Amino acid sequence: MWSQKLLSTLAAATMLAAVGCDGQAGHTATQKPSGQPAVQQLGNVGTFSAVSTKVSYPAHIAIAADGTVFTADVGANLVFGVKDGVRTVEITNLAKPLGIAVAGNLLYVGVQGRGTVEVYDLTAKKAVQVLNAKFKMPNSIAVASDGTVYVADSLANNVQVFDKDGALVTALNGFNFPAAVAVNDANVVVGDQGNHRIVVFGRDNKLIRAFGQAVDEKITAVQDFKGRFTRIQDIALKGSDVLVLDSYHAHVQQLGLDGVSKGFMGRAGLGLALGIGFDSAGNLLASDPQNKRLVAIPQELR
């Protein structure tokens, strides 16, 4: 069972900005010139510090293979990791950390205040890389099994793609506030918040399909929400399905990548959740900032 000590370790959060849009622009991949240096000078980066109990505005979460749950705390300008109910790692001097991802012993952190994505070696406890690009709002990060890195820049309205060495390869365009990105061996999936839809690409960065529409204000029955979204805050992949956290309605909708909705999951009092992710035991966790905790969401569909 998920430790109650861990579930109660987070503090109140604030909702990230949302952008509305009525149009549905086409999606293109903009190829970047080759020969760019993979990284820039590290400059001002975060610092591994003594762990504290400081928590302010937790946003996205990421779970490592060893079960450590990392949380980006926007208000406290730090990222911390908790394992078995104990806070084990803390990185400070992060100016508004947003998207985070873990791949092996590397922790990727999108730092909006510096316009960077910074890479930290959790074993050596130091920054080792800064991706060679300038970001406006690096809101979500996903790392594929081959090391390819995807960064959803919500204010730039694109998803930038980097190779395993950190060189910028291409940018996926045509979004309005892409709030979330997830990847598996077959697909790249983007939560396009402003256009109220999910966009699916192949790993070759070619568009496969997009699905979803805004919620009609007259809808009240849960089943009528199928395929509709108001504020896509985060996504997670489960097999061939995508789980979509709609923070406005405080529920998670499960859909096939063909766009067919399979139902909803959630729990009473979830509130304005900001992030979701699967722990090493297969539990679906969500940040529950209003109640100052992480919660395990029952995965039975309704």
Side-chain angles (χ1 to χ4, degrees):
M1 296 296 293
W2 193 254
S3 167
Q4 184 60 37
K5 186 175 180 181
L6 174 57
L7 298 184
S8 61
T9 194
L10 297 178
T14 188
M15 177 59 58
L16 297 177
V19 177
C21 179
D22 294 326
Q24 296 201 2
H27 294 270
T28 59
T30 304
Q31 205 69 25
K32 300 298 180 182
S34 60
Q36 297 186 76
V39 297
Q40 59 192 37
Q41 294 299 315
L42 294 186
N44 185 20
V45 293
T47 304
F48 282 80
S49 304
V51 296
S52 67
T53 58
K54 182 186 299 183
V55 183
S56 181
Y57 296 119
H60 287 285
I61 61 176
I63 295 92
D66 69 354
T68 302
V69 178
F70 290 90
T71 301
D73 191 323
V74 180
N77 292 316
L78 56 82
V79 170
F80 63 87
V82 175
K83 183 178 181 182
D84 298 327
V86 178
R87 194 155 169 166
T88 58
V89 62
E90 187 169 306
I91 303 173
T92 59
N93 187 37
L94 299 173
K96 198 175 182 180
L98 296 177
I100 55 176
V102 185
N105 68 323
L106 298 179
L107 174 68
Y108 295 76
V109 183
V111 183
Q112 185 176 11
R114 292 196 280 264
T116 57
V117 170
E118 301 167 9
V119 188
Y120 294 87
D121 188 318
L122 295 170
T123 303
K125 294 189 175 182
K126 65 179 182 179
V128 293
Q129 190 179 57
V130 176
L131 297 188
N132 188 34
K134 188 69 175 177
F135 302 93
K136 294 182 178 180
M137 190 177 189
N139 214 358
S140 182
I141 303 171
V143 184
S145 59
D146 64 1
T148 303
V149 180
Y150 300 83
V151 181
D153 191 331
S154 298
L155 292 182
N157 294 319
N158 64 23
V159 174
Q160 296 192 49
V161 184
F162 300 82
D163 67 18
K164 62 182 178 62
D165 298 316
L168 181 60
V169 175
T170 190
L172 307 177
N173 302 291
F175 308 105
N176 185 356
F177 203 87
V181 61
V183 63
N184 59 22
D185 289 339
N187 298 109
V188 180
V189 184
V190 181
D192 190 3
Q193 187 184 103
N195 286 322
H196 311 286
R197 62 181 177 171
I198 297 297
V199 186
V200 183
F201 296 86
R203 285 296 309 281
D204 58 2
N205 300 320
K206 293 182 179 179
L207 175 66
I208 296 176
R209 68 180 58 86
F211 53 86
Q213 55 185 312
V215 173
D216 190 312
E217 294 180 357
K218 299 178 181 178
I219 290 178
T220 56
V222 172
Q223 295 304 311
D224 292 335
F225 281 85
K226 286 188 173 182
R228 295 176 179 268
F229 315 101
T230 296
R231 183 173 290 162
I232 298 172
Q233 188 68 40
D234 203 4
I235 61 176
L237 296 178
K238 181 181 181 181
S240 59
D241 292 345
V242 59
L243 305 185
V244 183
L245 170 63
D246 191 324
S247 59
Y248 187 85
H249 300 290
H251 65 215
V252 174
Q253 184 173 176
Q254 182 170 338
L255 308 97
L257 293 181
D258 57 2
V260 177
S261 179
K262 298 182 179 181
F264 300 83
M265 59 186 76
R267 57 178 295 162
L270 179 59
L272 297 175
L274 298 178
I276 56 174
F278 287 99
D279 69 7
S280 56
N283 300 305
L284 178 63
L285 305 181
S287 59
D288 184 12
Q290 289 183 321
N291 293 306
K292 305 179 183 182
R293 59 183 180 175
L294 290 182
V295 295
I297 299 179
Q299 296 181 53
E300 293 80 12
L301 295 173
R302 63 181 192 275

